[in-house]
Amino acid sequence: MVGGCCGSTPLHIKALSDASREYAPRKLPDVGRPKMWLSGLEDLVVDDCHNQLGLPFLNIGERCNISGSKKFKKLMMAGNYGAAMDIAKKQ
C-alpha cells in the first residue's frame, strides 16, 4: 500500500503512483488457525483455547486484575497469593 499523509500534495501522490506502478501487490501469506496475542510482562499466545466459533478465547476475570480491584492489588502487593487465588476461584 502506497499513499500520502495530510500534508501530501497531488504532485507527490502522482510521483508515488508513478514510482510504484511497475510493482505487483505481494501475495498474502496463507492464513492458518487464528491466534490471540496478549501482552504483559511476557507475551502470551493463545492458540489452544477456542470458543464455539473456532476463534481464540480466553476468559480473564476482572477481579483478578490489579487495575480493576483494589482488594486484589493489595493482596498481590503483600504477597498474599493464597487469598488472591481464592478470589480467582470464586469467579
Side-chain angles (χ1 to χ4, degrees), residues 60-82:
I60 300 173
E62 279 302 308
R63 285 181 270 172
C64 298
N65 178 338
I66 62 172
S67 297
S69 168
K70 288 182 184 179
K71 181 178 180 180
F72 188 77
K73 180 179 181 177
K74 288 178 183 176
L75 292 171
M76 293 299 289
M77 298 302 287
N80 193 345
Y81 304 120

Side-chain angles (χ1 to χ4, degrees), residues 11-34:
L11 187 60
H12 180 77
I13 298 295
K14 183 179 181 329
L16 286 173
S17 176
D18 292 343
S20 61
R21 191 174 313 277
E22 66 185 82
Y23 299 100
R26 70 177 176 90
K27 180 187 178 303
L28 294 176
D30 294 331
V31 178
R33 190 169 195 167

Side-chain angles (χ1 to χ4, degrees), residues 10-63:
L11 187 60
H12 180 77
I13 298 295
K14 183 179 181 329
L16 286 173
S17 176
D18 292 343
S20 61
R21 191 174 313 277
E22 66 185 82
Y23 299 100
R26 70 177 176 90
K27 180 187 178 303
L28 294 176
D30 294 331
V31 178
R33 190 169 195 167
K35 295 181 181 181
M36 176 174 33
W37 295 67
L38 304 172
S39 63
L41 294 177
E42 297 179 9
D43 287 349
L44 172 64
V45 180
V46 179
D47 59 357
D48 58 348
C49 301
H50 294 85
N51 65 11
Q52 70 274 14
L53 301 175
L55 299 173
F57 179 78
L58 182 63
N59 191 11
I60 300 173
E62 279 302 308
R63 285 181 270 172

